[in-house]
Structure formats: C-alpha cells, structure tokens
Amino acid sequence: MDYDVIIVGASIAGCTAATAYGRAGLRVALVERQRSPRAHKTLCGHFVLGGAHDVLRRMGFWQPMLEHGAAVTTGLGVWTGAGWIVPPPDSTVPPAVSLRRSKLDPLLRGIAGATPGVDLLVGHRVVGLVEEPSGAVAGVVTSGGGSERTVLRGRLVVGADGHRSTVARLARVAEDSAPNRRFLFWTYYEGATTNGPGDGQVWPLDPDVAVCIPSDDGLTQVGVFPAKDRLAEFTAERVAAFDRFVARLPDGPSLAGARRVSNLVGTTDYPCVRRDPAPRPGLALIGDAATASDPVPAVGCGWAFRSAAWLADATAEALAGGGSLQRALRSYRRAHRFIDRYDALGRREALAEPPTALQRAVRTAAVSDPEIARRLAMFGMRAADPSVLLNPGVVVRALVGLRARRPRGGPSRTPARRQAEPTGPAGPAQGLRPGPPRRTADEPGPRLTDRP
Ligand SMILES: Cc1cc2nc3c(=O)[nH]c(=O)nc-3n(C[C@H](O)[C@H](O)[C@H](O)COP(=O)(O)OP(=O)(O)OC[C@H]3O[C@@H](n4cnc5c(N)ncnc54)[C@H](O)[C@@H]3O)c2cc1C
C-alpha cells in the first residue's frame, strides 16, 4: 500500500502530525503497536507548557481538551528563599494545560483517526524499514503479532515512536544520551488546598524540585524530583519518603483532609536522549524520538505537539508535489533548533548542580520585578527563545534592581534567608531541602511570603 506519509506511533507527536497532514490533503498511514485505540502512556506528568498553546489552538485540540476536563494554568508561583515569584496578573504568558494521558491519548487518536486521508492502523508494530539503494527510507514493515508481515511504502517515514525509537534504531541514527541526576514520583489528590500564589506552584530547592499542579477533574497533582543521593531513602520507604518531602515544602499544599486517588507514579532513572530530527532522506523524527528531555521542566509533551506541527508545516507542500522534500526536511531541522537550544540548557539542569551567582540574582530579582518575573515565566513555559531571559539586559536589570533594594549599611539578607538562597532561571534554591536530617516543618523557617 502506498502513502504520502507513514507515521510510526499514534501518541502525541504522531497524532498531531497525522492530523495536520490529513488536513493538508495527504494520504497518511498512522501505525501504532498498541491494539486498543484507548491505550495511553502512563509514565507522563502531562503538564503541557504554554509554549504549545498556539499549536493546540491551531490544531483544534485546545477546546476538546477543555471539554474533557483539562485544567488550565495561567500562572505558576515559584518559591525562592527571598519570597515567592508571583505570576504577573496581566501577563502575556500563554497558559499551560493538564489532561491525564488516559484521556488525552484516546482523544488525539480519535481526532487523527477521523481525519480524512488518515488510516489509523492499530496493532501494527514496526519491525523493519524499506530502504532504497540510495540510502533513502521508503517505507516500513509491520507485524501484527504473528509471522505475517505488511509492507507500507511512503515518500516520508516519520518516527514518532518515543524515546526508545525503533525507527531510529532500524535506520541506524546516532543517539546522544546524557545523564539525569534526579528521579521523580507524583500522585493525585482530591480535595487538596494549595497555599502558594498562582494556580500552581514550583519549588526549585537545592538540588531537589517539587511541583503542585491542578489537573483534570479537579485533581491536584503533587510531584517531587529529588536528586539521586536520596534514592536510598525513597527505595526503603517510598510513600513515607514522599509524604515527608511534601510535608516540608514551604507553603506546601494542605493535604490533611485530601484523598490520594492514585499510587505513586515515577521512575528512578530517565536519561536525556537526542537524535538528528531529519537524519536521512525520506526520514524525520518528531517528539521524544528526536528529543527526550529531563521530565523536571515538563517540556516533552509540548515538544511533541510542536515538533509534529513544525514538520507538517515544513513538508506538507513538498509531499503534495510542490517541491524538494530534502529541502523541506532541512527547513524542519532548522525549526527544531528552538528545541535543541532549550535541550542544551535542560541537560545542564538535569545534572542537579548548584546554581550560579547570576542565576540566583535573576531569580531573586524576579520576586520584586514583574518584568523579570514575566520573562522567567516565558522561559519556563518555553514560549519564546531562551534569550527572552538569558541576555545581558536581564542580568544588568536584575543586579541594578537588587542593589537598589539592598538596605544601606546592612547585609542584603537575614542569615535565615541566606540559608535558603534562591536560584537561577531553571535552577534550584540552595540550603533548604525537604527531608531528614534537615529542618523539620515545625521548626521556624524563613518567612517565605515576605518581600525583601
Ligand atoms: C516520568 C515522566 C514524566 C513526564 N512528565 C511530563 C510532563 O509533565 N509534561 C510534559 O510535557 N512531558 C512530560 N514527560 C514527557 C512526555 O511524556 C513525552 O515527551 C511525550 O509522551 C512524547 O510524546 P511522543 O508522541 O513523542 O512519544 P510517546 O508518547 O512515547 O509515544 C510513542 C508511541 O509510539 C508507539 N510505538 C513505539 N514503538 C513502536 C513501533 N515499533 N511500532 C509502532 N508503534 C510504536 C508507542 O506505543 C506510543 O504510542 C514526562 C516523561 C516522563 C518519563
């Protein structure tokens, strides 16, 4: 059977690309190894950053997500030892959205499968590639579980098959892997009350991180991302270690009357993986198959939506017969550099190292400077190039602002605050780490909602 595009993997990236190509009038095979159209990824925190908002709207996914109960987050409070960074009220930062994958994946698959021109082929695992003598990829070989094989031919094969991409392996695409020195667990609560500012909170601690995020059906998702030196504590008594960690978060959620409605979900090792998004003629990689980042900044779903849309934007016309596919793939690779720039920074953050002095200064400045807070939020939501925050102008503004606010003749902070020093753009705060043998929740700590 011949197609214009064969997409391997009917999850976020694959369904987005298939929908876009189908709407462009192309014939699309969307091949998924799972047999049930309702299958979903379980290991995902599903917080989709605001940077994906435009694509979600353009693809017509945003409204159906809301109709399925998705929670919209317009501003996250970020804790620092110098006080909370409160989201600016009239911010231009696009909203984030959260819908559990048990709802999101079937929703996207339904939209893609109903798009004219798209054949959704569930229960087909890709086990081989069709390769031309020229080196171009020209199709896939699938298995339905038995010995029978099906050959699908297409002008473009798209690997949307996740971080362990079979397509990339079969095509011998080089893999660049980097360590992640944190692990993570989360769970969901009914009836939790949040105590920090914004409609969700992030605690960048040194070197651990925690989040409290609204999710669909009124649930509150609480997640912890400790550095791996705490792995033994969590291995010994996972739930107790999680509870201790959350109980000690400054201005953390009130869970006393809340009901935990899931087990702890998470993983103890999740390295970062990167591959060339346009590695061979006739082949493109999107979503995790191209870049599987550290889960801490919650970028993966957004990258999957966006890279799929960028690929379709770059190549649909060439596939419809209007130009060079190779040139179109190069254009996709250029668009993907947006992700590559953030991924380079994310890999450094994944090392869980102490923040630099400049990072700390910018974060402290954001507590009282709404413009720096806005830029920090744009960066955090991946809604603009990293230079929105990482530029000399922001650093100068931060340092000048901090100097102006420093009381004359005295130290810039109280000793208690120095203990809980804040961090940089994506880095953790120093000195306050929930968990033994550190300060307990009952002991007095810095007054975190005070402004310097
Ligand atoms: C612990 C954890 C927490 C995370 N939390 C967040 C978060 O809060 N926010 C966020 O944005 N991101 C998060 N992510 C990342 C996010 O889950 C991924 O980036 C996202 O799922 C990538 O989507 P994808 O469509 O590229 O791949 P996937 O969702 O992995 O889908 C790949 C699809 O390909 C199919 N497939 C695989 N092999 C084959 C084959 N041989 N033949 C046919 N089909 C095949 C699979 O069945 C699957 O349907 C998290 C990741 C982890 C590990």
Side-chain angles (χ1 to χ4, degrees), residues 92-450:
T92 51
V93 181
V97 66
S98 179
L99 181 65
R100 278 170 296 165
R101 298 288 296 257
S102 53
K103 292 182 176 183
L104 179 64
D105 292 15
L107 171 67
L108 297 175
R109 215 166 280 135
I111 295 173
T115 304
V118 177
D119 287 344
L120 173 59
L121 307 172
V122 290
H124 282 254
R125 177 187 293 271
V126 167
V127 294
L129 294 181
V130 179
E131 299 182 60
E132 303 286 6
S134 65
V137 176
V140 300
V141 181
T142 73
S143 159
S147 56
E148 227 171 84
R149 298 285 180 267
T150 306
V151 176
L152 305 171
R153 295 188 146 267
R155 287 191 62 206
L156 177 65
V157 171
V158 180
D161 51 346
H163 74 296
R164 290 207 182 90
S165 176
T166 302
V167 170
R169 179 174 51 75
L170 292 170
R172 300 173 296 284
V173 178
E175 186 176 295
D176 173 2
S177 181
N180 189 335
R181 300 213 177 116
R182 293 192 186 89
F183 60 98
L184 65 147
F185 289 105
W186 71 84
T187 187
Y188 304 87
Y189 294 89
E190 261 173 18
T193 312
T194 58
N195 296 307
D199 40 18
Q201 291 82 39
V202 183
W203 289 264
L205 309 162
D206 184 10
D208 314 323
V209 179
V211 296
C212 183
I213 303 282
S215 190
D216 55 284
D217 285 349
L219 298 178
T220 301
Q221 182 183 20
V222 179
V224 304
F225 305 79
K228 282 187 177 165
D229 63 352
R230 295 184 70 169
L231 204 45
E233 180 193 342
F234 275 73
T235 308
E237 33 165 20
R238 183 177 296 175
V239 173
F242 179 91
D243 288 346
R244 263 199 312 273
F245 191 117
V246 174
R248 289 180 176 137
L249 289 173
D251 297 339
S254 302
L255 302 174
R259 192 165 76 89
R260 185 181 287 170
V261 296
S262 81
N263 293 330
L264 287 185
V265 189
T267 176
T268 54
D269 190 35
Y270 198 78
C272 310
V273 177
R274 181 160 68 203
R275 303 181 183 93
D276 182 350
R280 282 178 59 177
L283 178 66
L285 302 176
I286 55 178
D288 273 12
T291 306
S293 303
D294 175 15
V296 172
V299 292
C301 297
W303 292 156
F305 283 116
R306 296 167 87 180
S307 60
W310 296 340
L311 176 68
D313 288 346
T315 57
E317 199 181 319
L319 287 165
S324 154
L325 181 57
Q326 251 327 89
R327 193 175 315 130
L329 285 174
R330 283 198 295 274
S331 161
Y332 165 58
R333 185 194 278 130
R334 277 196 298 281
H336 202 279
R337 284 187 196 141
F338 183 92
I339 293 176
D340 303 338
R341 286 192 284 278
Y342 270 110
D343 190 58
L345 297 164
R347 284 171 166 229
R348 263 188 260 154
E349 290 302 327
L351 296 176
E353 281 173 355
T356 65
L358 277 184
Q359 286 178 313
R360 289 205 304 271
V362 169
R363 192 162 279 236
T364 304
V367 172
S368 47
D369 183 336
E371 174 56 13
I372 296 185
R374 188 188 69 80
R375 286 173 176 273
L376 194 65
M378 290 292 281
F379 179 96
M381 287 291 153
R382 305 307 194 245
D385 187 84
S387 60
V388 71
L389 184 69
L390 308 184
N391 74 64
V394 171
V395 172
V396 170
R397 184 180 172 118
L399 294 176
V400 169
L402 288 178
R403 181 162 301 182
R405 282 185 289 275
R406 188 175 290 171
R408 280 195 195 160
S412 61
R413 298 180 202 92
T414 63
R417 279 190 179 148
R418 195 172 296 130
Q419 217 189 29
E421 193 136 1
T423 92
Q430 283 188 330
L432 189 66
R433 235 190 138 184
R438 302 154 187 122
R439 183 172 68 79
T440 69
D442 319 320
E443 291 171 40
R447 290 209 35 190
L448 298 162
T449 46
D450 280 352

